[in-house]
Amino acid sequence: FEKLVLGQAYRFTDRAFIREALQGPSIYNHDGQKTLALVGDAILRQSLVDQGRERSETPGEIQNVITKVASNDNLYDRGIALGLDPFIVKNPGQWGITAGKKTMATTMEAIIGAVFYDSAKNGDDLKRVLTALGLAWPE
């Protein structure tokens, strides 16, 4: 997973975080990776605000970038482009089917949340991962 999706951006110390991030909701784990996804969503949005502020962008432009980059459509597209789908643990009825938009977007957010906790909230690690995922401020 890490070599293919994250490249050299990050290596997990505690594999439990990435396992949780890739675990969709199931009958055995109703919430799946949702808690990590909540954290990842907040981190992604905060990172984009910080990047916009560093670029002296207006609040309106920062919001436009957040709306675009953090959207489920973009998160889905980035997950597909990165080849994330085969790594997502799905319900047996979903085996062989590409993850839906919400599942892929939630998994992308959960990966960010997993890095946040695994890295002991290291901002440099998060920046590298967001860039590797294609979720940094658009140039």
Side-chain angles (χ1 to χ4, degrees), residues 22-30 88-97 103:
L22 296 172
Q23 180 67 55
S26 69
I27 59 172
Y28 304 107
N29 180 0
H30 295 287
I88 300 172
V89 180
K90 302 171 192 164
N91 288 318
Q94 298 170 321
W95 291 347
I97 300 171
T103 298

Side-chain angles (χ1 to χ4, degrees), residues 1-12 111 115 118-119 122-134:
F1 164 81
E2 290 156 313
K3 286 182 184 177
L4 182 64
V5 177
L6 298 179
Q8 298 298 316
Y10 191 75
R11 292 271 185 243
F12 282 89
I111 291 167
V115 170
D118 187 66
S119 70
N122 184 295
D124 292 334
D125 287 336
L126 287 161
K127 284 180 188 176
R128 281 195 310 278
V129 167
L130 290 172
T131 299
L133 295 175

Side-chain angles (χ1 to χ4, degrees), residues 12-78:
F12 282 89
T13 302
D14 184 346
R15 309 288 305 161
F17 285 117
I18 192 57
R19 281 193 299 272
E20 181 182 347
L22 296 172
Q23 180 67 55
S26 69
I27 59 172
Y28 304 107
N29 180 0
H30 295 287
D31 291 331
Q33 76 278 64
K34 289 181 182 176
T35 302
L36 284 177
L38 286 171
V39 172
D41 179 62
I43 300 283
L44 175 56
R45 290 169 185 277
Q46 182 64 55
S47 174
L48 292 168
V49 169
D50 291 346
Q51 291 173 61
R53 185 173 162 82
E54 289 167 6
R55 289 171 168 73
S56 300
E57 298 290 349
T58 66
E61 180 57 26
I62 293 170
Q63 185 59 54
N64 288 341
V65 169
I66 290 170
T67 299
K68 178 182 174 190
V69 174
S71 72
N72 281 355
D73 286 339
N74 187 56
L75 293 169
Y76 174 83
D77 291 344
R78 293 303 310 143

Side-chain angles (χ1 to χ4, degrees), residues 98-116:
T98 302
K101 187 180 298 183
K102 184 165 176 44
T103 298
M104 182 67 74
T106 300
T107 302
M108 290 286 285
E109 292 167 341
I111 291 167
I112 298 165
V115 170
F116 178 73

